[in-house]
Amino acid sequence: MEHEMTTTQDRQGYSQKRKGLILLIVLLVIALICGIYYGYAYVNKTKIDLSKNMTVHYIGISGLASVKYVDYHFSEDETNQYQKFLKTVRYHASKSSHLANGDQITITSDYDHEIAKQLN
C-alpha cells in the first residue's frame, strides 16, 4: 500500500513537471515569435531624411527678409510611395522674419507620427 502511494505521488510530480516544461516551451515559442515580428518591423523601417535636398526660400532684403516657404525634393518614386506621409510634413523656422545676411536659423520638421508608424 505504501509503495502504491509513492508511485502515485511520483506520477503526480512527474505530471506537474511535464506540464511546467510544456508551459515553459510554449512561452519561449511565443516570446521568440514576438521577438522576430518586432525585430523584423524594426529592421524594415524606411529611413527618410527630411532635410535631404531641402530648400529654404526667402523674400526681401537684408534686415527685412523673411522665410517664404521650405520645400523638399524627393525622387518621383519616393514621392509616390510615401505621398500620404510626405503630405503631413511641416517645416518650421526658428526665426522667420527680419532676417539679415549672415543670420543663422534652424529649420525643424514635424510630421504625423501615427501615419509614419503605419507606413513603417
Side-chain angles (χ1 to χ4, degrees), residues 30-78:
I30 290 171
L32 180 64
I33 290 170
C34 289
I36 290 171
Y37 174 77
Y38 286 109
Y40 181 78
Y42 179 77
V43 169
N44 287 325
K45 285 188 178 184
T46 302
K47 306 260 189 241
I48 298 176
D49 184 357
L50 294 175
S51 63
K52 176 180 129 182
N53 300 325
M54 179 179 64
T55 306
V56 179
H57 299 270
Y58 303 94
I59 189 169
I61 59 172
S62 182
L64 298 174
S66 59
V67 175
K68 187 173 179 184
Y69 64 94
V70 179
D71 193 14
Y72 57 87
H73 307 282
F74 291 101
S75 70
E76 190 174 325
D77 291 338
E78 287 176 312

Side-chain angles (χ1 to χ4, degrees), residues 2 10 14 16-17 31 33 50-52 57 63 67 73 83 98-99 108:
E2 189 175 305
D10 288 343
Y14 175 75
Q16 288 178 342
K17 286 181 184 177
I33 290 170
L50 294 175
S51 63
K52 176 180 129 182
H57 299 270
V67 175
H73 307 282
Q83 186 173 13
H98 300 290
L99 299 172
T108 55

Side-chain angles (χ1 to χ4, degrees), residues 87-99:
K87 284 183 179 181
T88 70
V89 176
R90 299 290 178 256
Y91 292 98
H92 307 282
S94 61
K95 183 179 177 185
S96 60
S97 61
H98 300 290
L99 299 172

